[in-house]
Structures are given as structure tokens and as C-alpha cells.
Amino acid sequence: MEENTSSSGAASLHNSEIPRSRSEGTLIDVDDRTPSATYNVNESKLDLDIDWSDLLKHAHVVSKTNPFWNELSASNPFVHDIAASNRNENNKYLSVLKEKPYLFSKVSSNRDSLASSGDELDIDCLLRKTSARRSGRSKSVSDFLDIIDNRRFNPCKTIPQKTIPSDITCLQNDREAYKMAWLNHRQLTRSCLDLEAMSHSPGWAQTQATDIHIVCKLNHEGGSVHLPDSDINVHIPVGHVLPGEVQEVGLRAILNPPSSFNNELSSTVSPLIELTLSNLNTKEAIFLEVKVAAQVKNDPLSQVMSDIVCFFSFNKEGPFKKLGNCYTYQDTVQVKLTDLSHVMYAVIAVQANKLQPPATNVWDYVHRTVSVGIYGPKYIHPSFTAVFAVFGHNYIPGKLTICDIKKGGKNMPPVVFQLWGKHTFLLEKPQDLNISLVSCDPDFEVKMEDQSKNIKEEELKTGEMVRHQFLFSMLGCREMHFFVFRVQIKVLRSSQVMQFHVTTPDPAPKLSGIITRPKHLQKRKEIKSAPLFLIPTVKYPKFQDKILNVNTYGVALKTVLRQNKIDYLLEYFKGDTIALLGEDKVKAIGQTKIKEWYVGVLRKKVGLVHCKNIKVISKEQAMDTTDSELTTRSLVEQIVLPFKKLTYIYSVVLSTVSESVYDWRALSDVLGYSHMSLDDFNEAHGNKESDRVAHVVKRLKEDCHANKKKRLFLYELIIALLKIDCQGLVARLTQDTIILTSAVKLGKYWRELAEKLARLTKQQIEAYEVPHQGKSGAVALEMMWKPAYDFLYTWAAHYGDSYRDVLQDLQSALDKMKNPVTKQWRELTGTLILVNCMEVLRASAFSKIEEEE
């Protein structure tokens, strides 16, 4: 039997429930961690002949004194009937309960019933199955939405299982005492909220239980218990208990380990693990297996000076003792537990005997990984909070309770956030970190003061979870949709940069499409005027289609004709005069070997020519340059050809372009949308220039999508950006798309590239793959591009703005692999041609004389 307390459980309502108050908020928690004795599973019958008149009278008083009662009752099934009774004393829904006081003691034949009245709502089907001795919670809005989805896609009925009545049934004769004890036991949270009202105050209806706790019953044959979303396991050997007896094993992870184990000589590398046993009549020991966030370095000094150990206690607060039965293999620790109790606690730490200079901390002796998680509401809203959490261990819970949310200067009730994304990286020593979140969608933004947060070195040393909140909001009155945002982690004392992308969940089903203009505003006649800020602050030069101005040429010393044509490589005859678009050389693989090349033009084609096959001459020495002439328009169209085959993330491209182009008119003109005017923009597109630029880009995307065979979005967009001289933006997009495409092309071979580019160790490579591992503990082949992308982005960040060096070094590293992907995939070579032609393009297409005019 498995119990997962992330899905809160309680005794079935037809057994031992009484009605809850109609307007409960956050209620009292009780400490229920102490294991209970083994229960005898017998269904108990309760006397539910309760006088409901008192409750109904109380409800009438509340409805008259609560100014929000009518609005809340519109969507809350628990209060709908009472609100309706205020309007009609003979309400038929209330009469059901008055006439049938035993209604809740009967098992409904329709478990999927979701009526609008609290009396008709089959609440029993809303509670997830789990042990009665664990705390339960009422259903949140997210849970109700899940149930609606289940009804829509999974109409199969579920068979109700009888559960164990709580020991508070002894209070059933005292209705008030029984009610309070029952509420405390279930730890009820807030009831349903009005989803329409949530559009104005969204994001706080996701409350539910979060304590991840699994309980399994095993017989004398033994078995293993695994804590979900973790690398924590308990192995029970055969013969642990006598035949016919049962061992109930519980596992729970407490995020913050004891602070006493985090100092200069010690650092915790696992959460505090709570292990419970129901049966102490045992004959065999049990084994605890944990994958930790550290591995001792292989050098002799580290092996001698440090060790990974396990501390054990019968109490959460200690005292803890070091266990000797501990076996470590790389980053996995197995501990033999012989001294058993009903409740036990264990934590894994790395310890140093002493510090020998230059070591200043126990981190100097180990490869230490740090895990981060991004949490948010189950459904996004027009304004919501995302939480960035750093953990000192590998355990990243699927749900996280946030207790310090503030709104309008007031503390909000505890909120449960869902895990949206996670990442693990290697950190050689505790250092200050800078965290920034940036939306890749122009429809959403991060609040200015929340865009960047710092985590101090001292906070990392404590081993406790560190959290920061980032407030997102939607811009303008638009339809809600999911989006992508970028998370960047910078180590302030070094050039190490980590980045990963997170995709938000969908908006709440009822919220989708309701964020529109009020009706009274839609009916008003709009009066359009030209605001002052429509005058662009940046004047983009006009693109001139004319012959390239070339100063250097080359004369071919031999004839080169290839039987198998190779993209981006020129063919020529001896004596041909080739125009050289710059004197910089490109290193790239040819037929079989890596060579140095010039970028040249011959017979209206742009490509590479081997440096050793030509003699460089000046413009004055060139005799006939007719075959090497090329217009600026033809140059742009050719050097952008690689973008026809490069992979890109549309939301990232859209965000990058809208943030970097400051005149929508200039962009629309070069894209062929010169007919567009201000009348084409409505208020949904916003008044900011970036919103209008985004609208133009979206228009291009739609047109290209409608004619896929003849038009390609990224190709046409890059051409347009070059024609308004946005070369810095083009360089950024080029680097981003090349990194992404390279990651996809490499797949599992990224490990070989990582060794060549950055000399990563096996442990460092594994640290990149950990966040993307599946349930089997390995990264699926189709997902291997993700760690490859994480690595390449981190590696490229060290170059700063030197995009040309990034592309060249990546080309050289790929060419040197055992089976170079660049032999077939030549687009990286094509982008090297692009960046080497930018100077000559700018010099010819954008003359200073024309700008002055």
C-alpha cells in the first residue's frame, strides 16, 4: 500500500464527516508525524442525526454581515445554497438536507457528480485516497479544475474504498468539540474562490498539502520503498519480519537539514530523512540508500582529508551520532540501520578532518552540486509570483509551500506552488550568486525590482533552502496564454554563467479569454490621435542596393572543381579573379581536412576559397573584376541562407527582436508591410514601441506559416534586420540559433564536445544531465539536446560579446571530433561567412552621404 501525502487524505465523508463552516480560511495545523499504532480496518458507523438548524441560522447571520457573501457564493458550491436561501426561504436544495439528515452517510452512486449546490456535491469523490491518520485538506480551485478535466477525459467510475475512522469519534456527542477536533485533524485550507474575481487578484487559490511522504506495507518477503521525485530509497531484506506479519515503512524528506552540520569542516549533502516503522519485531536490519549532492575528489589529499558520512538520531532535533555501517560509491551512499525505532532521522554530510592550505572550506575537497527549482501556481494568471529556490541537496520537491507571500503590504495565507523547472550545476566553492529572470514573451514582463536577486555565500553555507520571489504580470488586455522565460545564474566572482528556460503552465480554463476590455469601454467610440512618442528615437539608415565596394582580390593559382558539391565552398579555374570580402580567415573543415579560407565572391556566388590556392592582390592590381561583382541585395540574400535550416525558439526570437528594434515602421517597410498604419494597431497591441514591433513580427510569422513552401520566417526576418543595419541583433540571434541547433545535432555526442571545449570531467558532465534524467535515471536520447544546450550556453557566455570567436571556436571543436557533424551539417560554416561579411555590407549598403541627406 502506498500513501502519498502530497495528495491529502481524510476519512471518507460517508463514514465520519460533518459539514464544515461555510467560510473557513487557513486553519490550525497539528503535528501528526508520530506514527500511530497499527489500525484495525473496520468501518465505523456514526450517529449523524445532527441538528442542522443551528448551522443554518449561523449561516444566515454570516450572509447578512459579510459584504462579499453574494459575490463569493456565485461560484462556491459550499455557500451557493445558503446564499440562495436568503433569496428564497423555501429553497429546494436546503430542504434536501433538512429532510434527509443521513444524506452524507450514503455512498453516492455517481462519484463524478459536481452540482452547484453544496448539498448535491459529492464531496467524497473529491478527496484523494490516503490513510486517515495523515492530515487531509479541502479541495483547492486547482483540484476542482483537475476533477473537471478528469470528468471530461476519464469518465470511468472509481470504486470507493473504506477508510479508517479517526480517533476523534469519541467526541461525536459534543457537536462543537467534535467539529473543532475534526477541523484540526483535517487541516482544512481555503475553500473555492471566485475564478472571475481572481482575474483581479489571481494566483492565490492553489493551496493544498505539500508534505511528500510515502508509506508502504511490506510482508516477510521484503522489498524497496522509493520517495517520489527523489533519489532516496529504503531496502527491506527478506525475513525482516516474521511470516504473516507486516511492516509499514514511511519515508519523508525535510528540506532544511540540521544547521549544526554546516560549517567550515562539514556540509550536508542530503535533506533530513525521516524514516518510520510500524513493527519493531524484526530480525533483519534495513538499508537506506541516498544519492547525495557531492563526490570526494580523486586526488590523494581530498581522499585522505574528507569523507562522506551519515548521522543518525531518534529525534528530529538530535542528538545525532555518526554511523559506521556506511558505504559510499561515487555520489551514492548506502547505510545499514540496525538500531531501529518507530521514528528515525538520518542526514548525509561531507566532513573534513582538518583544512590544509590552500583549502579554506570542506567544499575544496569535493565536487559539489547545487540544485535549483522554479515554482509557480498550477495555472498562471494576469499577475502571478514565481519562486526561485536553491537547495543544498539533490532533492527538489514537486510542490513547495510558500508562507511569506505578501500582497498590498499584507501577508497572504500559505500558498502551495508547483515545480515548473529545475537545474543542477557544479559549484566548486560557496560564492555569491546573481539570479535573474527574463520573459521571452513580450506579452509578459518581470517587475523591475524583481528582475535580479542576489544569494550570499553565507546563505549557501547554511545548507538550507534559499528562496526569492519574482513577480510576473501580463501587459495590456490580452488573451492569457503560456509563455517561456529565461533563468540565468551568474557566479559573481568568476565568469561562470548558467542558463535554462522554463515554460509556464496554461492559464486556468475559466480564465482563458476572459481578460478583455469591459463592455462599457468596448461600446465607446474610439478617438485616435498621434501621441508624441510615435516619433522614433532611433533613425535607421536606408538600405541601398548597389555594387559592393571591394578593396582586395585574389587570383586563383589552380583549378578546383568538386565531383561532390560542398555547400559554401567556391569552385574556380586557374586565373580567375575572386573578390575577397575582408582579409580575416575562417578555419573550417573542407573535404577531409581543416583548412584556412577567405570569404570570396565569384560569378555572383559567395563562398570560401582555400588561402593557399590564391594570390592576394590589391584593387589596383586586378585586371578584370566583372565576374566578381555582386550587389548588396544579393549578398544579404546569400549570407542569410543558413537560417533556412537553423532551429530556433519562436518566443525567444520574438522577445529579442521586440526589445532591440525601436521603430516598427522601419521594420515593417523592409518586410513589405509599408501599407501598415497606426489604424492596424488596437489597444490589445499596447502603446509601447516594442509591442508594435512584436505585432509586425507576429504578422510575418503568420504570413510565412500560411505559405510554408515558399517562405521561411527566420530567413526573411534576418534579411530585414540586416537591411535596417541591426547587425548587433543579427549577431545575437545567430549565436543563439547556432547554439540551439548544434545541441540538437550533437545529441549524446555533446559529451565528447564538452571534453574538447572545456575539458569537463565525468562528474561535471553528469551534473548537466541530472536535471533532465527520467525515471530510469538516464537522459532519454530525444532529450539529450537539453544538457547539450545548457553546456553550450554556459560555455558561450564566457566570451561576452565576442560572437565571432564563439562561432569559430565551436566550428573548430566540432571539426576535431571523431565523427564531425560539420561534414554534413555546414550551416555553422555559413554563419561564419555571414559574420565576416558584415563590415563590407555596412560599408556598401549604408553610405554616410545618403544618411546626411
Side-chain angles (χ1 to χ4, degrees):
M1 179 188 72
E2 289 192 6
E3 301 180 26
N4 191 339
T5 60
S6 62
S7 304
S8 300
S12 191
L13 286 181
H14 66 275
N15 288 332
S16 59
E17 302 291 356
I18 68 172
R20 57 168 289 176
S21 173
R22 304 296 186 181
S23 58
E24 271 104 16
T26 306
L27 301 182
I28 304 169
D29 288 341
V30 291
D31 188 358
D32 57 349
R33 297 191 188 106
T34 306
S36 306
T38 304
Y39 290 95
N40 183 19
V41 184
N42 291 316
E43 184 176 9
S44 174
K45 296 182 179 179
L46 297 180
D47 182 9
L48 292 179
D49 191 6
I50 299 170
D51 183 7
W52 294 92
S53 59
D54 291 343
L55 291 177
L56 298 176
K57 290 177 182 178
H58 171 70
H60 283 297
V61 173
V62 173
S63 65
K64 293 178 180 179
T65 58
N66 189 342
F68 303 102
W69 187 262
N70 291 330
E71 181 181 359
L72 179 63
S73 66
S75 66
N76 192 331
F78 292 107
V79 300
H80 174 83
D81 49 0
I82 299 174
S85 70
N86 293 334
R87 299 184 294 270
N88 182 8
E89 291 296 333
N90 298 321
N91 185 276
K92 63 178 180 179
Y93 296 125
L94 280 179
S95 64
V96 176
L97 191 55
K98 292 177 181 178
E99 295 171 5
K100 299 181 180 180
Y102 295 96
L103 178 64
F104 283 163
S105 65
K106 300 177 181 179
V107 180
S108 172
S109 61
N110 183 5
R111 287 292 174 186
D112 292 323
S113 174
L114 270 178
S116 60
S117 168
D119 301 331
E120 295 182 340
L121 181 63
D122 184 5
I123 303 177
D124 185 34
C125 75
L126 303 183
L127 295 177
R128 294 174 186 162
K129 177 182 59 180
T130 186
S131 172
R133 61 190 178 85
R134 295 298 302 174
S135 63
R137 292 184 184 267
S138 66
K139 288 297 164 183
S140 69
V141 171
S142 300
D143 295 322
F144 280 107
L145 293 172
D146 285 342
I147 293 166
I148 293 171
D149 290 339
N150 290 336
R151 289 188 65 211
R152 190 177 302 155
F153 301 110
N154 188 16
C156 300
K157 301 291 186 292
T158 58
I159 301 175
Q161 294 196 7
K162 297 180 180 180
T163 53
I164 307 164
S166 169
D167 55 6
I168 64 174
T169 55
C170 61
L171 301 174
Q172 59 182 309
N173 294 327
D174 185 345
R175 185 171 62 82
E176 288 301 321
Y178 181 91
K179 176 181 176 182
M180 291 308 299
W182 178 78
L183 291 177
N184 288 345
H185 175 70
R186 291 196 62 211
Q187 295 181 339
L188 290 176
T189 55
R190 285 164 296 166
S191 180
C192 299
L193 298 182
D194 187 347
L195 282 178
E196 296 287 350
M198 282 170 57
S199 64
H200 305 289
S201 179
W204 316 119
Q206 321 295 336
T207 309
Q208 50 192 287
T210 60
D211 190 19
I212 303 299
H213 184 185
I214 187 168
V215 180
C216 291
K217 283 185 177 179
L218 303 173
N219 58 21
H220 73 283
E221 294 181 355
S224 296
V225 181
H226 171 72
L227 184 67
D229 301 322
S230 76
D231 295 308
I232 302 173
N233 301 275
V234 171
H235 304 292
I236 309 298
V238 177
H240 172 70
V241 294
L242 296 175
E245 292 191 6
V246 172
Q247 179 67 280
E248 189 173 307
V249 183
L251 259 183
R252 176 169 170 253
I254 301 171
L255 294 179
N256 290 333
S259 57
S260 58
F261 294 116
N262 287 283
N263 49 60
E264 299 300 327
L265 293 174
S266 176
S267 179
T268 54
V269 289
S270 80
L272 179 62
I273 302 167
E274 180 187 79
L275 176 62
T276 61
L277 300 176
S278 63
N279 188 355
L280 295 184
N281 184 21
T282 60
K283 290 189 175 182
E284 295 288 339
I286 63 177
F287 296 87
L288 175 66
E289 184 177 289
V290 184
K291 188 174 182 180
V292 297
Q295 183 175 339
V296 177
K297 294 180 179 179
N298 291 325
D299 62 275
L301 181 62
S302 298
Q303 292 286 329
V304 172
M305 302 300 292
S306 63
D307 193 15
I308 296 179
V309 296
C310 177
F311 292 94
F312 180 83
S313 175
F314 294 129
N315 297 302
K316 181 179 177 181
E317 293 76 19
F320 287 83
K321 66 177 181 179
K322 185 189 295 186
L323 295 182
N325 300 324
C326 186
Y327 172 74
T328 303
Y329 176 72
Q330 293 183 352
D331 60 352
T332 302
V333 178
Q334 191 176 82
V335 184
K336 184 177 182 180
L337 302 178
T338 56
D339 192 6
L340 303 180
S341 175
H342 281 300
V343 185
M344 298 164 284
Y345 295 89
V347 63
I348 313 295
V350 57
Q351 276 196 331
N353 303 323
K354 63 178 181 178
L355 298 177
Q356 182 171 321
T360 58
N361 190 288
V362 67
W363 288 45
D364 293 322
Y365 295 134
V366 296
H367 293 296
R368 180 66 191 267
T369 57
V370 173
S371 299
V372 300
I374 297 294
Y375 293 84
K378 188 168 186 177
Y379 299 100
I380 62 170
H381 304 278
S383 177
F384 64 87
T385 297
V387 175
F388 178 95
V390 180
F391 304 93
H393 43 73
N394 289 335
Y395 177 53
I396 306 177
K399 296 179 181 179
L400 191 65
T401 304
I402 309 298
C403 301
D404 55 353
I405 294 287
K406 290 187 177 182
K407 185 184 176 188
K410 297 181 180 180
N411 290 326
M412 300 292 294
V415 181
V416 174
F417 279 4
Q418 315 287 323
L419 179 64
W420 285 0
K422 58 184 179 179
H423 187 72
T424 301
F425 61 94
L426 192 70
L427 191 62
E428 291 296 338
K429 58 179 62 179
Q431 301 177 66
D432 293 349
L433 303 177
N434 175 262
I435 314 300
S436 61
L437 269 62
V438 179
S439 172
C440 298
D441 192 314
D443 292 347
F444 293 85
E445 69 175 2
V446 183
K447 193 175 180 181
M448 185 64 66
E449 53 267 31
D450 288 343
Q451 288 183 355
S452 181
K453 301 287 181 70
N454 290 328
I455 295 177
K456 298 295 183 182
E457 173 184 333
E458 290 72 20
E459 294 178 289
L460 294 177
K461 287 182 178 180
T462 63
E464 297 183 353
M465 176 182 61
V466 182
R467 293 185 282 106
H468 281 295
Q469 300 173 15
F470 295 82
L471 179 62
F472 283 82
S473 59
M474 188 174 69
L475 301 176
C477 298
R478 310 174 185 197
E479 184 174 352
M480 287 290 297
H481 59 85
F482 74 90
F483 65 98
V484 178
F485 62 89
R486 182 174 67 249
V487 182
Q488 185 171 280
I489 308 168
K490 291 182 181 179
V491 181
L492 296 181
R493 296 182 186 174
S494 68
S495 56
Q496 186 179 3
V497 180
M498 287 71 64
Q499 173 183 278
F500 61 102
H501 289 83
V502 176
T503 301
T504 69
D506 292 322
K510 195 172 181 181
L511 282 177
S512 298
I514 70 169
I515 313 301
T516 56
R517 298 179 63 199
K519 292 182 179 179
H520 69 277
L521 289 181
Q522 292 176 351
K523 295 178 181 179
R524 294 177 62 180
K525 186 177 180 180
E526 295 183 3
I527 302 175
K528 292 191 175 182
S529 60
L532 295 176
F533 56 78
L534 288 182
I535 302 174
T537 56
V538 177
K539 182 182 178 181
Y540 289 97
K542 186 177 180 180
F543 181 81
Q544 303 170 59
D545 184 15
K546 59 183 184 180
I547 301 296
L548 286 176
N549 183 19
V550 179
N551 296 319
T552 308
Y553 291 83
V555 178
L557 302 177
K558 57 186 294 188
T559 299
V560 175
L561 298 174
R562 299 180 181 86
Q563 186 174 359
N564 297 321
K565 308 298 182 183
I566 300 177
D567 292 340
Y568 307 111
L569 299 187
L570 288 178
E571 294 183 335
Y572 41 87
F573 296 98
K574 184 177 180 179
D576 280 343
T577 301
I578 304 170
L580 303 183
L581 305 183
E583 297 183 4
D584 293 332
K585 299 177 182 179
V586 173
K587 289 184 179 180
I589 195 168
Q591 192 82 32
T592 55
K593 298 180 180 180
I594 299 175
K595 301 176 182 178
E596 289 188 338
W597 313 78
Y598 287 118
V599 179
V601 176
L602 182 63
R603 285 181 277 276
K604 303 189 183 304
K605 183 178 180 181
V606 181
L608 298 178
V609 54
H610 189 197
C611 295
K612 293 184 178 180
N613 290 347
I614 62 171
K615 179 182 179 182
V616 178
I617 59 175
S618 64
K619 183 178 182 179
E620 292 74 20
Q621 294 175 303
M623 300 294 292
D624 184 7
T625 60
T626 306
D627 288 342
S628 57
E629 290 182 351
L630 191 72
T631 64
T632 53
R633 178 179 179 179
S634 180
L635 174 65
V636 169
E637 292 174 350
Q638 288 197 53
I639 61 178
V640 180
L641 284 174
F643 288 91
K644 288 187 174 183
K645 298 180 180 180
L646 291 181
T647 305
Y648 64 96
I649 301 174
Y650 170 68
S651 59
V652 175
V653 173
L654 178 64
S655 174
T656 304
V657 173
S658 60
E659 292 172 359
S660 305
V661 176
Y662 304 102
D663 184 1
W664 70 269
R665 172 73 71 186
L667 181 62
S668 63
D669 286 347
V670 294
L671 283 173
Y673 301 135
S674 55
H675 58 278
M676 289 183 68
S677 65
L678 288 175
D679 294 333
D680 296 311
F681 300 97
N682 52 44
E683 288 193 13
H685 300 134
N687 292 322
K688 294 197 303 184
E689 196 69 21
S690 59
D691 295 331
R692 290 172 175 154
V693 171
H695 178 65
V696 174
V697 176
K698 290 177 181 178
R699 172 77 177 273
L700 173 65
K701 176 67 174 177
E702 292 170 359
D703 291 347
C704 291
H705 184 74
N707 191 6
K708 293 181 179 180
K709 293 183 179 180
K710 295 183 178 181
R711 303 186 64 179
L712 293 171
F713 165 71
L714 191 61
Y715 173 75
E716 293 192 17
L717 178 62
I718 298 298
I719 288 179
L721 294 176
L722 287 176
K723 286 185 176 181
I724 58 175
D725 200 27
C726 291
Q727 293 194 354
L729 175 57
V730 170
R732 179 179 170 185
L733 292 173
T734 301
Q735 180 173 311
D736 289 347
T737 52
I738 279 293
I739 287 176
L740 179 60
T741 311
S742 299
V744 174
K745 292 290 183 182
L746 282 169
K748 65 180 181 180
Y749 298 105
W750 82 271
R751 300 164 182 161
E752 179 187 348
L753 179 69
E755 293 176 358
K756 292 184 180 297
L757 272 180
R759 297 181 181 178
L760 292 190
T761 64
K762 183 179 179 181
Q763 292 77 19
Q764 291 172 320
I765 292 175
E766 289 178 352
Y768 278 103
E769 295 186 350
V770 166
H772 311 291
Q773 291 176 352
K775 294 182 179 180
S776 62
V779 182
L781 191 60
E782 63 272 15
M783 302 296 288
M784 195 62 77
W785 70 270
K786 292 188 175 181
Y789 178 78
D790 291 343
F791 161 72
L792 285 173
Y793 181 88
T794 304
W795 166 77
H798 295 130
Y799 286 79
D801 296 330
S802 303
Y803 59 90
R804 196 177 294 190
D805 293 336
V806 171
L807 299 177
Q808 181 60 79
D809 289 353
L810 180 59
Q811 172 82 56
S812 299
L814 291 173
D815 289 342
K816 293 177 182 177
M817 293 179 65
K818 293 179 181 178
N819 296 301
V821 295
T822 44
K823 277 191 174 182
Q824 291 76 34
W825 177 60
R826 298 275 178 171
E827 275 59 52
L828 176 54
T829 306
T831 58
L832 280 170
I833 294 175
L834 164 66
V835 297
N836 277 277
C837 290
M838 285 186 174
E839 292 181 8
V840 66
L841 173 65
R842 173 173 284 171
S844 300
F846 307 102
S847 66
K848 295 181 179 179
I849 298 176
E850 190 273 338
E851 289 180 17
E852 292 174 358
E853 293 176 354

